Structures are given as C-alpha cells and as structure tokens.
Amino acid sequence: MKRREFLKAAGLSGVATTAAAVAMPAIAQSMPELKWRCTSSFPKSLDTIYGAAEIFAKAVAEITDNKFQIQVFAAGEIVPGLNAADAVTNGTVEMCHTASYYYVGKDPTYAFGTAVPFGLNSRMQNAWMFFGGGMELMNDFYKKANIYAIPCGNTGCQMGGWFRKEIREASDFNGLKFRIGGYAGRVLQKLGCVPQQIAGGDIYPALEKGTIDAAEWVGPYDDEKLGFQKVAQYYYYPGWWEGSAMLHNFINLDKWNALTPAYKAVVRTASEMANTWMQSKYDAVNPAALRRLLAGGAKLMPFPTPVMEACLNAALELYHEVSASNPDFKKAYESMIAFRGDQYLWWQVAEYSNDTFLIRNRTKV
Amino acid sequence: MKRREFLKAAGLSGVATTAAAVAMPAIAQSMPELKWRCTSSFPKSLDTIYGAAEIFAKAVAEITDNKFQIQVFAAGEIVPGLNAADAVTNGTVEMCHTASYYYVGKDPTYAFGTAVPFGLNSRMQNAWMFFGGGMELMNDFYKKANIYAIPCGNTGCQMGGWFRKEIREASDFNGLKFRIGGYAGRVLQKLGCVPQQIAGGDIYPALEKGTIDAAEWVGPYDDEKLGFQKVAQYYYYPGWWEGSAMLHNFINLDKWNALTPAYKAVVRTASEMANTWMQSKYDAVNPAALRRLLAGGAKLMPFPTPVMEACLNAALELYHEVSASNPDFKKAYESMIAFRGDQYLWWQVAEYSNDTFLIRNRTKV
C-alpha cells in the first residue's frame, strides 16, 4: 500500500501522522477504503433478483461505515448481462451478481451453481453448498475462470411457463418453439423441442406474434410484469428445470485473495444474508401475484406425470452423456445427485407430510 | 465515552494523541472495542442449535477484527437455559440465543417467534419475519420485556417424537404422559394428554422407567444422541407443533439502541447468516441420522390423518380462546395465519408438485 493510500485508509490525511503511522496499522489493514463495481446480470425491473445485489452492497457499506463501497450496475450499464462472468474473469469489474447457469455454453458444469433439471430445492441447495461440499467443489471449478463464488439469492421453485396450447403428452414438445433458460433446453431437445434464447423484453412480442409457442421466465411475481397471460393462457407447473435457482456473487479471485480477513468475512456474511433475503422476498410476493394472474385469465396446469417422467429420462440420458466426457460435470453431478437422494429420504417424512396436511387445511383458521 | 475508553477504542493508548483525537472519531464511533456475553438456552451437546450462536459470534468477531467480541455461554453457565430471556431483560447479559416459545408461561404470544402448532414451515417463517411484518410485530411485543429480537436459526420441521405404544386415534392421547416442548402441550391437553416438562438429559430415564409414555425432542440428528429408539420404538411424524422452530438472538434493548449503526448492521447481518447456517446444517445431517435410527430398530409412523385433524381442531379452539383475552396473541395469530394461507396457496403449485415428483423418483440417477 502506498503511503498516501495508507493515510487515506486510516482517515488521517492532513494531520500529524508520526504517532498514527505507528499506532494505526491494525485498523488500516482491516478496514481500508475500498470501492468495487458489481455488474448485475439483471435489469432493475427484476427488483427481487436485482435487489439482492443491492441489499448485499448496502449491508457491506453499513457494516464498514461506508469504507467498503460496492456500486451495483444493471445489466448493460457496464457489460451485457450474460457477459458478467467474463468481466469478472478479466478484471473489468471486481465482481458480478449472476446466475452461474448462464455460462453453460462455456462448460455445462456451471449449471450446478444455479440449477439443473430435477436438481435440488432451495433449502437443499443451501445445504449442499454450505455442508454438502458444493461450495468447495464449485469453487474448485470456478477457479479456472479466476472466480471465487458465494451464494447470494434464490428464486425457489419456478413455474413451467406459458403455453399457447396444452401439453398432454411428451410428444407435444416435438417441434415446440419454447423460450427457456438454463440447461433445460438441452434436455427438451431430446424430445424434439426447439429451445429459444430470447431476452426478457423480447419474449412478449415473440409469443404474441407466434414466433414462439411457449415461454418460461421465473414465477408469478416476475411473470406478471411481462403480461404473458394475455397471449398464452396455459400456465404450467412445476418448473422442474429450476426446483430452485441460486444466484451467486462471482468475485475476481485476485481481488478476493487481496481482501483483508475482516473484509472477506464481511462479503461472505453479507452475501449469505442476501441469499435468504431474496428467497424470502419471492416467497412473500408470489402468492398475491398468482391470485392476480388467475383472476386475469391464466389457467394453472400441472405437467402430466408421464410428461415429467419422459423429461426426467431425457435429463438422466443427457447427464450420463456429458459425464462421460466432462470430469468436472461428472464430479458435480454425482455429488449433487447423492445429496438429493438423501435429502428427499428425509424430506418425505416430516417436511412433506406436514406441508401436505397444511395444504389440505390451509383455509382453516 | 471516557477519554481512556476512547483511546482504547481507537487503538491509540500510549501514543501521542492530539492529532489522533482530532482525526479518529469516525472510526472510534463505528468500531469501538466491545465485549458482550451471550447466554445460550442450549447445552453444547446440541451442536447445531448451540453452534448457531457460536457461528454468529465468530462472524461478528471476524468482521470487526475482534473489536466486537461476543462470548457464548452454554445453558447453566451463567443462568439456566429457560432463564435466558430474563437475564437479557434485566441486563445480567447483553444478549441470549434462545427459543422464544420457552416463555409462553409469561405470555403465549412468545410462541409465534419460534413455532405454533400448524404454523409456518421454515422458509415461510423467514418470509413472514422479513417481509410479512412478523419481525416488527414481534419486536413490538418483545419491547415490553426490554428485548430486541433477530432471527438466528431454524430446525426445520421436527419429528413427532418417540412413543411406546401406537397412536391409532385421537383418544389414544387421553391420559398419555408426553414430554413435549413449546405450545403444543396446551393443544394436546384438550385431548386429555398430560404434557410433561422434562429437561433433555432426564427424558431417557423417564421413558425407560415408564414415568412417561412418550417424548419428543427435535429430529433424527439430535434424537439419536439421546438414544430414545432403545426404549420407545414408534417414531412418529410430522411434529405438527413445530413445522419449523426458529431461534432468535434476544438483545437487551438498551444495549441494542446504544450500538453504532455499523455494529447494528454487523449483528443483524451475522444473525441472518447464522439463521440459514443452522437450517442448512440440520438439513445436511438429518438424513444419515434417520438411516441409522431405522437400522437401529426405530419404526417410522405417520400420525393418522383423523388424529392430525383432531389436533388441528383443538389448536384452533385454543387460538380462539386465547385471542379473545389477549390482544397481542390475536394480532400475531391473525398475521401469521393469513400469511400461512397465502403461502400454501402458492407452495401447493410449484414447490410441492416438484417435491412430490422428486420424492417418488428420488433414487433415479
């Protein structure tokens, strides 16, 4: 650290410094003034996902009395949303808030950070990350891109999307032009589906014109803003490709390693706070949005079980194919899937039976 | 602040101080040296619940470079576990880590901080606290005891406990001596049950001798340590009285108000991190413990639906009785129950149908 920076960090510029320079290094080292830029992969209109990055940055600033300031930029302000990880890798920004599965084009292993079809629910994803070896395993992988990742948000289980026609059997996916995110497009291709990559703002007109037949986005709260129910009334569930969708703070590894231990603890703790903040906010706002969508004409439709089974088989086939040639993918898949099996063994007992009873009796007060 | 304390806080004792005393107040105010004592309501052997307080305190220390140190004491080291809140109210300690429902004897409204029979699951409890008005509502109530509370941990849905005989119908609760925590004893009394308050270490011998007929504790991971399966083989689920059990940091309100804004942010953020840490750890360790219990002879038994319904009706009757004479209880109940109805409206769609499918297909890899 240069002398001028040191003095600035210690808040002592312009005053007699001899004594302070002797006495202050501990404080100067732990709480230096620091300004980072965080590029979000999301627009501000997705206030819950985008908001998680803001809540994280606000906590960091409050904890450090504004000594560590992280400015959040919406997708496109510095780099496009899908280039966020690259901007971190090459040091354009110190960090980004993003969905790891946006980068499956580089390597499908990225999917496990966010969601894979028939993967973990939100609590299980936390448990896998923090206690099931997931965070270590994924950071071993992200290291190749010079990235250190910390979970920071989740949507919970998403919806299956908006369809202009009913899905009655697996063959109805054949030829279907479906706007779908994440790694699910690869699964549905096996059923003849033609997955489409279309940015949020362009989905509605594409669906209206019939350029696409169906589109999935997030869940009731975010879907409502885009108005899909006006042009595709069948609202399918569940979004089996995103049983939960975890967001991350991707931090440039050199910048992470250069942080003081105190600042590492600040970033980790604030990320984990925002991780729950985002899930809780989605949980709180989705029910009212669902009611409004139903009142506006949306027709709730479950994917028929045989359709789900065909999708599961297609997913397993894909996982085995990719595992055969990609050891990182294989390692993450085997870790996640073993964890999932154990989790549902336990969940089917207490959690699930309790939820079952309360769903049936939810209106009794 | 006395001059000596100020100098100590700024890390400057023993050096030339004129310049520093001018330049340092911002740092001195935001990160003063502070030592707090946190009495846990739990023994160290409950390493997940007790561990949440330790993880919280560790994060506070790391973030502040050990300037803010919170020492955690096990139940009994300073005050007995069930006296933790009193010790906070009267300032014996600055804070405690406890279950709000331990204090239902003072006022049943305390139950809503942790769990009420047929209440919220873990994610819903977070959503209610952080976005459904729960935290403001409960802190309005805790204020009467000079306490400010922040969520800090959850067990998830607990088990229904260990029974020496099967529960086939609601009348089997009649005369049953059942060690049970929280507010559920009051509900089961309506069915003729005789609820017992017995500390953790004394449950096993009581069950072995037949002094009691049944006992519930937490879930597989904690239950296994106490060895109940050796003396009561029927292991019932779900623990409908604790669909989730949220722990809190209870902080003396004067001590909370005296914290700098930065330290308030540190305590809040670290509490919320530990809140998820505890739930994730339980989720991660319960499945293997369940397997071991089953291998050791435990017989998993669901409470029959008519028994659950009789218990729900008894709970609703109790809620209406207490609401009639206790406006704090009524306010919390109405807020929680409206939130629950909305939550399960949404959960039954995406979350539940996704979990249902994955439970049925959990062994497919």
Side-chain angles (χ1 to χ4, degrees):
Chain A
M1 188 182 269
K2 291 176 188 167
R3 184 173 174 81
R4 175 170 298 188
E5 283 168 4
F6 171 82
L7 296 177
K8 193 177 164 198
L12 289 172
S13 51
V15 300
T17 58
T18 313
V22 173
M24 294 305 296
I27 290 176
Q29 276 175 10
S30 61
M31 291 277 169
E33 290 204 4
L34 200 57
K35 285 189 201 300
W36 275 14
R37 299 195 303 170
C38 171
T39 185
S40 169
S41 286
F42 311 97
K44 290 184 185 176
S45 57
L46 287 174
D47 58 317
T48 310
I49 303 188
Y50 184 82
E54 288 194 312
I55 281 290
F56 156 75
K58 185 165 172 276
V60 170
E62 284 178 353
I63 286 171
T64 65
D65 247 343
N66 290 311
K67 288 186 192 64
F68 190 175
Q69 290 180 32
I70 299 173
Q71 191 176 357
V72 183
F73 294 87
E77 289 184 0
I78 300 176
V79 293
L82 301 182
N83 293 9
D86 283 341
V88 173
T89 297
N90 64 31
T92 304
V93 291
E94 288 83 3
M95 65 174 292
C96 71
H97 184 245
T98 192
S100 180
Y101 69 11
Y102 285 165
Y103 313 103
V104 291
K106 296 175 191 290
D107 187 322
T109 310
Y110 276 98
F112 293 95
T114 309
V116 294
F118 305 105
L120 306 169
N121 72 21
S122 177
R123 256 172 61 183
M124 293 175 191
Q125 180 79 4
N126 280 340
W128 182 58
M129 280 286 164
F130 299 127
F131 290 95
M135 210 167 145
E136 296 77 7
L137 187 153
M138 291 308 294
N139 271 314
D140 250 12
F141 170 74
Y142 295 136
K143 202 162 54 184
K144 298 178 186 178
N146 202 34
I147 284 168
Y148 182 75
I150 309 174
C152 188
N154 207 313
T155 62
C157 188
Q158 299 196 4
M159 288 294 287
W162 301 85
F163 291 70
R164 291 157 64 95
K165 288 183 187 162
E166 286 184 54
I167 297 290
R168 291 184 178 161
E169 46 195 35
S171 62
D172 289 332
F173 276 118
N174 194 18
L176 192 89
K177 285 174 282 179
F178 185 18
R179 187 275 170 201
I180 186 164
Y183 202 47
R186 289 287 306 279
V187 173
L188 286 170
Q189 275 180 317
K190 287 190 173 281
L191 301 174
C193 178
V194 188
Q196 311 283 312
Q197 302 296 329
I198 302 176
D202 301 328
I203 304 175
Y204 183 93
L207 203 51
E208 190 181 28
K209 285 177 201 153
T211 314
I212 57 174
D213 305 305
E216 68 88 39
W217 186 232
V218 182
Y221 181 71
D222 290 328
D223 290 5
E224 184 189 24
K225 293 179 196 163
L226 298 186
F228 299 132
Q229 73 281 9
K230 295 172 207 151
V231 286
Q233 66 178 330
Y234 298 110
Y235 196 21
Y236 272 89
Y237 66 90
W240 44 263
W241 48 91
E242 290 167 289
S244 88
M246 176 174 268
L247 289 296
H248 277 83
N249 282 330
F250 274 7
I251 301 167
N252 179 285
L253 191 56
D254 306 319
K255 294 287 178 184
W256 171 256
N257 288 333
L259 287 181
T260 62
Y263 274 5
K264 279 185 184 166
V266 170
V267 169
R268 235 181 0 239
T269 309
S271 298
E272 292 178 27
M273 176 278 294
N275 188 47
T276 299
W277 179 94
M278 180 173 148
Q279 181 63 73
S280 296
K281 186 173 170 196
Y282 267 121
D283 284 341
V285 297
N286 270 327
L290 179 63
R291 278 188 207 277
R292 289 189 299 267
L293 287 170
L294 296 178
K299 287 192 175 138
L300 267 185
M301 307 285 283
F303 285 121
T305 302
V307 172
M308 295 277 285
E309 283 164 352
C311 295
L312 173 60
N313 290 335
L316 296 178
E317 202 178 291
L318 178 68
Y319 294 153
H320 294 154
E321 286 164 16
V322 180
S323 291
S325 63
N326 184 330
D328 288 331
F329 185 97
K330 184 170 189 282
K331 195 173 162 191
Y333 174 68
E334 287 176 354
S335 168
M336 183 282 291
I337 210 77
F339 198 80
R340 191 198 68 180
D342 261 10
Q343 285 295 300
Y344 277 113
L345 169 78
W346 161 231
W347 273 66
Q348 71 185 314
V349 180
E351 289 290 340
Y352 187 78
S353 63
N354 194 57
D355 283 339
T356 300
F357 183 79
L358 288 174
I359 283 171
R360 289 188 187 140
N361 293 280
R362 72 174 185 83
T363 56
K364 285 197 190 154
V365 295
Chain B
M1 188 182 271
K2 290 177 190 168
R3 183 174 175 81
R4 175 169 299 188
E5 284 168 3
F6 170 82
L7 295 176
K8 191 178 167 200
L12 288 173
S13 53
V15 301
T17 57
T18 314
V22 172
M24 293 305 297
I27 290 176
Q29 277 175 8
S30 61
M31 291 276 168
E33 290 204 4
L34 200 56
K35 286 190 200 296
W36 275 13
R37 300 196 301 171
C38 171
T39 184
S40 169
S41 286
F42 311 97
K44 289 184 185 176
S45 58
L46 287 174
D47 58 317
T48 310
I49 303 189
Y50 183 82
E54 287 194 312
I55 282 289
F56 156 75
K58 185 164 172 275
V60 170
E62 284 178 352
I63 286 171
T64 64
D65 248 342
N66 291 312
K67 289 186 191 65
F68 190 175
Q69 290 180 31
I70 299 172
Q71 192 176 356
V72 183
F73 295 86
E77 289 184 359
I78 300 176
V79 293
L82 301 182
N83 293 9
D86 282 342
V88 173
T89 297
N90 64 30
T92 304
V93 291
E94 288 82 4
M95 64 175 292
C96 71
H97 184 244
T98 192
S100 180
Y101 69 11
Y102 285 165
Y103 313 103
V104 292
K106 296 175 191 289
D107 186 321
T109 310
Y110 275 99
F112 292 95
T114 308
V116 294
F118 305 105
L120 305 169
N121 72 22
S122 177
R123 256 173 61 184
M124 295 175 189
Q125 180 79 4
N126 279 340
W128 182 58
M129 280 286 164
F130 298 128
F131 290 94
M135 208 168 147
E136 295 78 6
L137 188 153
M138 291 307 294
N139 271 314
D140 251 12
F141 169 74
Y142 295 136
K143 203 162 54 183
K144 297 178 187 178
N146 202 34
I147 283 168
Y148 182 75
I150 308 175
C152 189
N154 207 314
T155 61
C157 188
Q158 299 195 5
M159 289 294 287
W162 302 85
F163 290 70
R164 291 158 65 96
K165 288 184 187 163
E166 285 185 54
I167 297 291
R168 292 184 177 162
E169 45 196 37
S171 62
D172 288 333
F173 275 117
N174 195 18
L176 192 89
K177 284 175 282 177
F178 185 18
R179 188 274 170 200
I180 185 165
Y183 201 47
R186 289 287 305 279
V187 173
L188 286 169
Q189 275 180 316
K190 286 189 174 281
L191 301 174
C193 178
V194 188
Q196 311 283 312
Q197 302 296 330
I198 302 176
D202 300 329
I203 303 175
Y204 183 93
L207 203 51
E208 191 180 28
K209 285 178 204 153
T211 315
I212 57 174
D213 305 305
E216 66 89 39
W217 186 232
V218 182
Y221 181 71
D222 290 327
D223 289 6
E224 184 188 25
K225 294 178 198 164
L226 299 186
F228 299 131
Q229 73 279 9
K230 295 172 208 151
V231 287
Q233 65 177 332
Y234 298 110
Y235 195 22
Y236 273 89
Y237 66 91
W240 45 263
W241 47 92
E242 289 169 289
S244 88
M246 176 174 268
L247 288 298
H248 278 82
N249 282 329
F250 275 7
I251 301 166
N252 178 285
L253 191 55
D254 305 319
K255 294 289 178 184
W256 171 255
N257 288 333
L259 287 182
T260 63
Y263 274 4
K264 280 185 181 165
V266 170
V267 169
R268 236 181 358 240
T269 310
S271 298
E272 293 179 25
M273 176 278 293
N275 188 46
T276 299
W277 179 94
M278 179 173 149
Q279 180 62 74
S280 297
K281 187 174 170 196
Y282 267 120
D283 284 341
V285 298
N286 270 326
L290 179 62
R291 279 186 206 278
R292 290 189 298 267
L293 288 170
L294 296 178
K299 288 194 175 139
L300 266 185
M301 307 285 284
F303 285 120
T305 302
V307 171
M308 294 279 284
E309 283 164 352
C311 295
L312 173 59
N313 290 335
L316 296 178
E317 202 177 292
L318 178 67
Y319 294 154
H320 294 155
E321 286 164 15
V322 180
S323 291
S325 62
N326 184 329
D328 288 330
F329 186 96
K330 184 171 190 280
K331 197 174 161 190
Y333 174 68
E334 287 176 354
S335 169
M336 183 282 290
I337 209 78
F339 198 80
R340 191 198 69 180
D342 261 10
Q343 286 296 299
Y344 276 113
L345 169 79
W346 161 231
W347 273 65
Q348 71 184 313
V349 180
E351 289 291 340
Y352 186 78
S353 63
N354 194 58
D355 282 339
T356 301
F357 183 79
L358 288 174
I359 283 170
R360 290 189 186 139
N361 293 279
R362 73 175 184 82
T363 56
K364 285 198 189 153
V365 296

